[in-house]
Amino acid sequence: MCGRAACSLNPDSLCRACDYKDATGKRRTTSWTKTDIEYIPSTNIGPKDALPCIISGLHFGKDEQVLCAMMWSMIPPWHEGDYRKHNLSTHNARLENIKNSKLYGTPLRKGQRCIVLCEGYYEWKAGKTKKESKQPYYIYATQEKGVRADDSSTWKDEWSEETGWKGFKLLKMAGIFNTFKTGEGKIIYSCTIITTESNSILSWLHNRVPIFLNKEQDSQIWLNEKLTIDEVVDKLNKLTLSDGDLNWHTVSTLVNNVLCKNEDCRKEKKSIEEKKSNSSSFMASWLKKGSAESAKRKSTETEKNDNVMSKIAKEK
């Protein structure tokens, strides 16, 4: 699950959208730290593309949290050659297996935890039969009245120390990251999103969901390197979705192609079932109209024939 996401805010807006309270209680924006991965805003981000992440600044010798662009799909440390050509599916990691995982256990023990950011992610609902196409959905945080997730012209870009970020509410998901040194000496940051079993809110769509860090306190706990693995995993197990946290709508199958990056990917569209229903209704209406017109023609022809026969009878 969670194999496609959208994050279209520009880098400066993301700094404001990821604001937080420091140790003194002052609200601050989050600054970027430069890496060898570039964040490119897009409405259709797939595995091995770049996603923005928040990590503890201690990894860079800083006291405050920082933004860092990472490749979405953790690179196995034993991989050799082009880092983008590893063959493992590592964009998601199951919470149930994470502590004992050969791939994820080591960075977890090193405190390499991150918060993966996006405006929303895509999920596909299987059809009733294998022949039916899967219906893509776009899932996002519930927004203020008047804010449309598929129309960025309705979003604000406002921030102040007093009120904080007043723009689009991002999804913040628990993740872990690792570093990989290429043959050229570049340090590549890569991440995975931690998933858990769905509860009743999204189980109709998929049996797995990301672990959402909905409260600022949840984010602070996840990035706190002083907490042990058992402590943080225990806290993740206690995080649950609540009614009203998320919203969603159906989108077109344009998003199926990861090379398609335009705004239409997340535009709300009628579902495949609705289109079939409308098509069936149109066909039924057309057939009904055709039958009515046919009956009317037959009635008119019969009436004409009766008139002709009546006239002939009178002439005789």
Side-chain angles (χ1 to χ4, degrees), residues 58-76:
L58 294 175
H59 295 287
F60 294 95
K62 300 178 180 181
D63 294 330
E64 69 277 3
Q65 67 179 36
V66 296
L67 272 164
C68 178
M70 299 190 189
M71 188 180 85
W72 182 19
S73 283
M74 188 178 289
I75 306 166

Side-chain angles (χ1 to χ4, degrees), residues 118-131:
C118 66
E119 292 148 11
Y121 73 96
Y122 301 93
E123 193 58 84
W124 282 256
K125 183 180 180 182
K128 294 179 180 178
T129 65
K130 291 183 178 181
K131 293 183 179 181

